[in-house]
Amino acid sequence: MSDVALITGGANGIGRAVALKLAANGFFVVIADREEVAGEEVRKTILARGGKAEAVRVDVTKAGEIEAVMGGVLQRHGRIDILANIAGGSIHRKLIEEMSWGEWKEVLDVNLKGTFLFCREAAPIMQRQRKGRIINTSSNYGVTGSARRTPYSAAKAGVIAFSKSLALELAPYGVLVNVVAPGPTETARVMKNWTPEYIREREKEIPLGRHGKPDDLAEAYYFLCSPESSWITGQTLHVNGGLVMP
Ligand code: NAI
């Protein structure tokens, strides 16, 4: 029986690349995303390549929906071996005086609350199994901060501290919790905000001279799912071409 990996945000960008990578390496992949059509496309791509997958619709900010998704996964598969919380993003880029409480909360909800809610459902299952890996998603802005991204930076810093705490809670059960912190990565969502001039200027700041590709990130998530990382927990793997070295 294949290990089961649930990937939030698996319908697009980095999450999609992680879904394809894990499926190619024998995992049964559950694509959990609020975009049903894109999720279905990833499922079909995996099946066409000989892998195993299902797509479920979920809004990661809704506790009831997450409980239902996790209940369904348990019913169908009886286990969950990997939880990769990747859904998120930087929305509402504004100076603090223009930021409403509702906007602030929306950014915190998708980037931090969703991670907490999914981890809360997965933790008891993984504790019972005495096996499991959780990989949460931060950002370079979670360590450097970024003007006009106060809630995003706070949420992504929160993901790191939350994951360290959870790693301590789950270590006695052999369940590992780590973080991937992507740097600027060419996904459709971020590319639409970048002009060719911006890309060229930005690349000059990146020591390795280029932006990340979703596949660069997928390698990091896969490593943290693999037997090769079995003595790593509570850590943040920064994948950013050398842009930030915390
Ligand atoms: P993306 O926008 O391409 O993919 C994000 C996925 O999350 C989408 O499929 C979207 O439908 C899903 N999603 C968003 N909100 C959701 C919700 N409430 N419920 C369910 N699904 C939801 O984004 P990308 O660029 O692949 O980013 C993935 C993660 O990596 C995010 O957490 C982002 O903050 C982080 N990151 C990305 C960077 C980049 O340059 N692309 C840099 C640093 C961090």
Side-chain angles (χ1 to χ4, degrees), residues 11 27 54 56 60 67 70 76 83 105 115 125-126 137 143 150 153 161 167 172 175 188 206 209 216 225 235:
F27 288 89
E54 65 190 20
V56 292
V60 302
E67 281 164 32
M70 294 297 275
R76 289 188 298 279
L83 167 64
K105 194 168 168 309
T115 296
I125 302 167
M126 291 179 171
T137 303
V143 291
T150 49
S153 305
V175 175
I206 301 173
D216 294 316
C225 296
Q235 305 302 315

Side-chain angles (χ1 to χ4, degrees), residues 92-101 103-104 148:
H92 303 310
R93 287 178 209 168
K94 295 177 174 184
L95 295 172
I96 191 159
E97 60 266 32
E98 296 159 359
M99 182 82 60
S100 73
W101 166 244
E103 288 165 338
W104 168 276
R148 295 177 185 269

Side-chain angles (χ1 to χ4, degrees), residues 8-16 32-36 38-39 57-62 65 85-90 109-111 118 137-141 152 156 180-192 194 211-212 214 217 221 239:
T8 79
N12 291 287
I14 295 169
R16 181 179 186 278
D33 202 290
R34 67 179 173 192
E35 286 191 16
E36 272 177 293
R57 204 216 147 268
V58 68
D59 181 338
V60 302
T61 67
K62 304 267 169 28
E65 292 188 18
N85 283 304
I86 304 178
S90 170
D109 280 358
V110 66
N111 287 289
F118 259 105
T137 303
S138 181
S139 161
N140 52 315
Y141 294 134
Y152 183 69
K156 292 304 195 184
V180 172
T185 305
E186 291 175 354
T187 61
R189 177 181 61 88
V190 298
M191 289 296 276
K192 71 177 188 296
W194 295 350
H211 287 90
L217 273 301
Y221 285 86
V239 183

